[in-house]
Every structure is written in C-alpha cells, then in structure tokens.
Amino acid sequence: MTARPVASVRAGGGADGPASSSPLSALLPGGRIRPGTAVSAGGDMPLLLALAAEASTEAVGWAAVGLPQMGALAAEAAGLDLAGGIRIDDPGRQWAQVLATVAEAVPVVLVGPLGAVPDRIARRLAAVLRRSGTVLLAAGPWQGAEARLRVVSARWEGVGDGHGLLHGRRVRVAAAGRGAGAAPRYGEMWLPGPDGAVAPLSQEGDATNTPAPAAATGAGRERRPVLRVVG
C-alpha cells in the first residue's frame, strides 16, 4: 500500500531553528521537536495532537497512521491544518512499509499502537526519519524516542455543582529523554484549553486559574477542506 503524498515543506529551522513558545517547549530537548526524531505521547490523544501541532509550525503536510479514533474536529482545534493531512486508519499487515513510505512523503507522522516494533524495523524507520527529516509522533511507547511524554494527572475544570460548561483540562505532564535529557521534567498546562489547543496556565486571576473563554469563531471563518482518508 502506498500513501498519496501531500504538498509539504520540510522544517526549515533544522537543529538550530527557533524554539517554540508553547507550554510543551520546556519539556522538549532544546525547547522543540527536532526534525528526524521520534517522540512518544504516553497514550494521551490530546497530548499527541498538541505535539503534532507543535511539530507542524515549521512544516506543511502531515499524516496519521493507525489512528481511527482520532477526531478531525479535535485535530483542527489542536492546531493541525486538515487541508494538509492524510489519514490511513488501517495500514494492514505491511504497516512498517506503509509507515516508511509516508515518512518519506510528509514531514510529520502520527502513528497509533500498531504492535511491537522489532529492532530491525525500528532501526530502519529511524534511518528513514534521519534521512527525510520527518518527525514521528507515537501515541504509545516507541523504541528510540528522543523524548517520552505522558500525562500523569488531569482534571476538567468549569463545571460546578453539577452544571456549567467545561473550560479546559488541566494536566501535569512528565517528560524524560535520552542522555542529558534523561532526568524527568514536569510541566502544568491546559490540554486542551478553551479553544481546543494547548495553553499555558494563567498567572493572574482566581485561585483556580480557570482559562478565559475561547474567542468566537463565527461565519467569517474560512471553511477548510476536510481531512483525506487513504485506504
């Protein structure tokens, strides 16, 4: 099976590109997701989507492989451009080949839990990532991941006394990596925030740091093409 490539621009910043100002940047090696590396999200879908949006700030084009549970609306709210994405819900038994092909075509790849990754396949995929500069974001554990993030605590805020509106999910995220980044680091943030994207905790306001309501997105917002599904 071959995935259709989408128009893409590889991350132009390279290893020395600017660091992101996202709340996740403090948990990432060098403050950003380096091209050609893998990051795992510990099984948390909002965290996976936030990382994808983070990796897509310098690149156009992404793909989701083996993630049928990923909602298009949640992906768009997190910051992903649906017009630049493709989706392969069931890559089949040859998923490793599908993943390698997609990694050659797009700069950001999200991958679901497709099963154990043998060492030989892991080494091959790592070589493809290095050669293409593609970022691989794994929903679960991934051998050789440069950074391993996971949500260690989470609570939704906004509903009181059994009624009201949810404003956002306040989370504590733990991160570990390799080498100098092996020591655990922790950060707190809204994931998702009121507009669906990751957001920093407010430094002002009441004791709960409840996020401000999202700005209205009215009829003036341009409607973008829907996410394409392959296979």
Side-chain angles (χ1 to χ4, degrees):
M1 176 180 177
T2 302
R4 287 192 303 164
V6 298
S8 63
V9 178
R10 296 288 168 180
D16 300 321
S20 166
S21 59
S22 160
L24 290 170
S25 61
L27 302 177
L28 297 167
R32 68 196 297 266
I33 302 174
R34 293 195 307 118
T37 63
V39 176
S40 62
D44 189 85
M45 180 60 71
L47 178 57
L48 179 68
L49 293 177
L51 289 168
E54 183 96 359
S56 299
T57 56
E58 298 177 16
V60 178
W62 59 275
V65 180
L67 283 166
Q69 71 274 31
M70 187 188 78
L73 292 179
E76 184 176 33
L80 286 174
D81 181 7
L82 298 188
I86 57 176
R87 180 167 168 170
I88 306 171
D89 286 347
D90 183 7
R93 298 177 61 183
Q94 301 299 320
W95 61 264
Q97 179 61 44
V98 173
L99 198 55
T101 300
V102 171
E104 294 277 11
V106 296
V108 179
V109 178
L110 294 74
V111 59
L114 299 175
V117 183
D119 290 345
R120 176 178 57 84
I121 293 179
R123 289 194 299 269
R124 177 191 172 200
L125 289 173
V128 171
L129 297 181
R130 289 193 299 270
R131 182 173 65 251
S132 63
T134 292
V135 166
L136 186 144
L137 304 171
W142 188 266
Q143 181 177 331
E146 181 173 77
R148 302 183 304 278
L149 279 67
R150 62 189 179 92
V151 172
V152 294
S153 66
R155 72 173 185 268
W156 285 94
E157 305 237 350
V159 175
D161 297 328
H163 61 86
L165 297 175
L166 291 173
H167 291 293
R169 187 181 69 146
R170 182 169 178 164
V171 301
R172 181 174 172 85
V173 178
R178 297 182 298 177
R185 300 176 301 284
Y186 298 90
E188 293 191 2
M189 62 200 74
W190 296 110
L191 182 64
D195 63 353
V198 62
L201 295 180
S202 173
Q203 298 301 314
E204 300 178 354
D206 61 18
T208 62
N209 283 328
T210 301
T217 54
R221 180 178 178 180
E222 181 181 355
R223 185 174 181 83
R224 287 180 279 181
V226 297
L227 183 65
R228 287 173 288 171
V229 179
V230 180

